[in-house]
Amino acid sequence: MITVLGAGGNTGGRVVRRLRAAGEPTRAVGRDAARLADAVGHGAEPVVGDITDRSFLAEAFRGAEAAYVLMPLDLAAAGYRPQQEQVGTAIAAALGDAGVPRVVALSALGADVEHGTGFLETLYEQEQRLAALDAAVTVLRPGVFFESFLPVLPQMRATGVYRDTIDPDVALPMLATADIGDAAAGALLDTAASGVRELHGPEDLTMRDATARLGEVLGIPSRYERAPDGEVRAALVGAGLPADVVEEQLAMFAAFNRGDAQSRTGRSAATTTPTTLEQWARTPARTPS
Ligand SMILES: NC(=O)c1ccc[n+]([C@@H]2O[C@H](COP(=O)([O-])OP(=O)(O)OC[C@H]3O[C@@H](n4cnc5c(N)ncnc54)[C@H](OP(=O)(O)O)[C@@H]3O)[C@@H](O)[C@H]2O)c1
């Protein structure tokens, strides 16, 4: 039996489907039973609760041969750092309480850098917590999710321009979360898996290229422009994002521009995932109405 956190989300949902297709008994964890309906439809056992609660989590992990863990962002939480600390410590403690022997953790490229990377710093901290467990830990370090473009599609549609603080010609590994789910499920089912695995998508992409290619497939011709931090800060706070979350994003994008979130291992067949940006964009669920 394998326990999957974030089972109603992008990667966790895919992990559940893959595990169930392989015939693996699976516990699907999330806060809202309705968002676990797909997992249940695939034969997973729903486990509804909050992953900041160590004792709830220890029960969700009890008897599991392996667990998929991640660090969800919660915009309703009182602060990004306290929320991540709460989730990270609860997960690590509960994995220890339940004695889960194998763990597959979603992290990110750049999570090997301790300071100066914004959002990624809490993934660095979580990697340290998990490394201290008496368990075989597989750390997945993907690049930028294609799904990160979803919130900016309205801006592209309205203006034909996507303005943000990543330098336009910095090439970044970008990939589909479905492919991360597939890699995670593979590691969960492989009793010999452990160590760090980077995931790069089919190619590195600049924001300039990715925006143009996405716009073309979606029929919203668009170009990318580098905006000043102050402009993006004002726009995101104005749109209702918490100020501390905005600063984490600006710091992470500055780290991207410095090259701090690049691959350490280099691209290989093992790190290259199949779904292209165009294939992802053509998936009906991803196409905006
Ligand atoms: N965006 C990127 O480019 C990128 C790149 C590299 C790594 N990452 C990592 O990937 C993570 C996101 O992964 P994802 O896209 O698979 O996640 P996701 O789609 O955002 O799903 C997260 C899931 O966690 C659940 N959840 C949130 N808070 C919870 C809580 N307190 N208790 C129980 N369940 C909770 C949510 O379900 P309910 O709300 O129903 O509980 C949701 O289904 C990021 O947080 C980051 O660490 C992101």
Side-chain angles (χ1 to χ4, degrees), residues 2 16 21 31 37 47 54 71 83 90 123 130 137 141 156 160 172 182 194 208 231 255 271-272 283:
I2 294 176
V16 168
R31 281 173 304 188
V47 183
R54 172 178 176 172
M71 298 277 283
Q83 178 265 347
L123 294 175
L130 297 178
V137 179
R141 287 195 190 141
M156 287 167 59
L172 298 166
D182 290 352
S194 70
R208 196 193 301 280
E231 175 190 317
T271 68
T272 298
T283 305

Coordinates of all heavy atoms in Angstrom, one line a residue, residues 2 16 21 31 37 47 54 71 83 90 123 130 137 141 156 160 172 182 194 208 231 255 271-272 283:
I2 N 0.5 2.2 -0.8 CA 1.2 3.4 -0.9 C 0.3 4.6 -0.6 O -0.8 4.7 -1.1 CB 1.8 3.5 -2.4 CG1 2.9 2.4 -2.6 CG2 2.5 4.9 -2.6 CD1 3.5 2.4 -4.0
V16 N -1.6 8.8 -8.3 CA -2.7 7.8 -7.9 C -3.1 7.0 -9.1 O -3.3 5.8 -9.1 CB -3.9 8.6 -7.3 CG1 -5.1 7.6 -7.2 CG2 -3.5 9.2 -6.0
A21 N -3.4 1.9 -11.8 CA -3.3 1.1 -13.1 C -2.3 0.0 -12.9 O -2.4 -1.1 -13.6 CB -2.8 2.1 -14.2
R31 N -7.6 17.5 1.6 CA -8.5 18.2 2.6 C -10.0 18.1 2.2 O -10.8 18.3 3.1 CB -8.1 19.6 2.8 CG -6.9 19.9 3.6 CD -6.5 21.3 3.6 NE -6.3 21.8 2.2 CZ -5.9 23.0 1.9 NH1 -5.6 23.8 2.8 NH2 -5.7 23.3 0.6
A37 N -12.4 12.8 -5.8 CA -13.3 11.9 -6.5 C -12.6 11.2 -7.6 O -12.9 10.0 -7.8 CB -14.5 12.8 -7.1
V47 N -8.5 9.6 2.1 CA -8.1 9.9 3.5 C -8.2 11.4 3.6 O -7.3 12.1 3.1 CB -6.7 9.4 3.8 CG1 -6.4 9.6 5.3 CG2 -6.6 7.9 3.5
R54 N 0.2 16.3 12.4 CA 1.2 15.2 12.4 C 0.5 13.9 12.7 O 0.8 12.8 12.1 CB 2.2 15.5 13.5 CG 3.1 14.3 13.8 CD 4.2 14.8 14.8 NE 5.0 13.6 15.2 CZ 6.1 13.8 15.9 NH1 6.5 15.0 16.4 NH2 6.9 12.7 16.2
M71 N 5.1 19.7 -1.0 CA 4.9 20.9 -0.1 C 4.0 21.8 -0.8 O 4.4 22.8 -1.4 CB 6.3 21.5 0.1 CG 7.3 20.6 0.8 SD 7.2 20.7 2.6 CE 7.9 22.2 2.9
Q83 N 3.7 28.4 7.1 CA 2.9 27.3 6.6 C 3.8 26.2 6.0 O 3.6 25.0 6.3 CB 2.0 27.8 5.4 CG 1.2 26.8 4.7 CD 1.8 26.2 3.5 OE1 2.8 26.8 2.9 NE2 1.2 25.1 3.0
A90 N 5.6 18.5 9.9 CA 4.6 17.4 10.1 C 4.8 16.2 9.2 O 4.7 15.1 9.7 CB 3.2 18.0 9.9
L123 N 12.0 24.2 0.1 CA 12.2 22.8 -0.5 C 13.6 22.4 -0.1 O 13.8 21.2 0.2 CB 12.0 22.8 -2.0 CG 10.6 23.1 -2.4 CD1 10.5 23.2 -3.9 CD2 9.6 22.0 -1.9
L130 N 14.0 15.3 5.3 CA 13.8 14.0 4.8 C 15.1 13.2 4.8 O 15.0 11.9 5.0 CB 13.2 14.0 3.4 CG 11.8 14.7 3.3 CD1 11.3 14.8 1.8 CD2 10.7 14.0 4.1
V137 N 15.0 7.6 0.4 CA 14.3 8.8 -0.1 C 14.7 9.0 -1.5 O 15.9 9.1 -1.8 CB 14.6 10.0 0.8 CG1 13.9 11.2 0.3 CG2 14.2 9.7 2.3
R141 N 13.6 16.5 -8.6 CA 13.8 17.9 -8.8 C 13.5 18.3 -10.2 O 14.3 18.3 -11.1 CB 15.3 18.3 -8.5 CG 15.7 18.2 -7.0 CD 17.0 18.9 -6.8 NE 17.5 18.7 -5.5 CZ 18.8 18.5 -5.2 NH1 19.7 18.5 -6.2 NH2 19.2 18.3 -4.0
M156 N -2.2 37.3 -21.4 CA -1.8 37.1 -22.8 C -3.0 37.3 -23.7 O -2.9 38.0 -24.7 CB -1.3 35.7 -23.0 CG 0.1 35.5 -22.4 SD 0.6 33.7 -22.3 CE 0.6 33.2 -24.0
G160 N -1.9 40.5 -25.3 CA -0.9 39.9 -26.3 C 0.5 40.0 -25.8 O 1.5 39.8 -26.5
L172 N 15.3 27.6 -19.4 CA 15.0 26.8 -18.2 C 14.3 25.5 -18.6 O 13.5 25.4 -19.5 CB 14.0 27.6 -17.4 CG 14.4 28.9 -16.8 CD1 13.2 29.7 -16.3 CD2 15.4 28.8 -15.7
D182 N 4.2 10.6 -13.5 CA 4.7 9.3 -14.0 C 6.0 8.9 -13.4 O 6.2 7.7 -13.0 CB 4.8 9.3 -15.5 CG 3.4 9.4 -16.2 OD1 2.4 9.3 -15.5 OD2 3.4 9.6 -17.4
S194 N 16.3 5.4 -4.9 CA 16.6 6.4 -3.9 C 17.5 7.4 -4.6 O 17.9 7.2 -5.7 CB 17.4 5.7 -2.7 OG 18.7 5.3 -3.1
R208 N 10.8 33.8 -23.6 CA 10.4 34.4 -24.9 C 9.9 33.3 -25.9 O 8.8 33.5 -26.4 CB 11.7 35.0 -25.6 CG 11.4 36.0 -26.7 CD 12.7 36.3 -27.5 NE 13.8 36.9 -26.8 CZ 13.8 38.2 -26.5 NH1 12.9 39.0 -26.8 NH2 14.9 38.7 -25.8
E231 N 6.9 46.7 -10.9 CA 5.6 46.6 -11.7 C 4.9 45.3 -11.4 O 3.7 45.2 -11.1 CB 6.0 46.7 -13.2 CG 4.8 46.5 -14.1 CD 5.1 46.3 -15.5 OE1 6.0 47.1 -16.0 OE2 4.6 45.4 -16.2
A255 N 16.8 34.2 -8.8 CA 17.7 33.1 -8.8 C 17.7 32.4 -10.1 O 18.8 32.0 -10.6 CB 17.2 32.1 -7.7
T271 N 16.5 12.1 -17.4 CA 16.0 13.4 -16.9 C 15.0 14.0 -17.9 O 14.2 14.9 -17.6 CB 17.0 14.4 -16.6 OG1 17.6 14.9 -17.9 CG2 18.1 13.9 -15.7
T272 N 15.0 13.5 -19.2 CA 14.2 14.1 -20.2 C 12.8 13.5 -20.2 O 12.7 12.2 -20.4 CB 14.9 13.9 -21.6 OG1 16.1 14.6 -21.6 CG2 14.0 14.4 -22.7
T283 N -3.9 19.7 -24.8 CA -4.8 18.8 -24.0 C -6.0 19.6 -23.7 O -5.9 20.7 -23.2 CB -4.0 18.4 -22.7 OG1 -2.8 17.9 -23.1 CG2 -4.8 17.5 -21.9

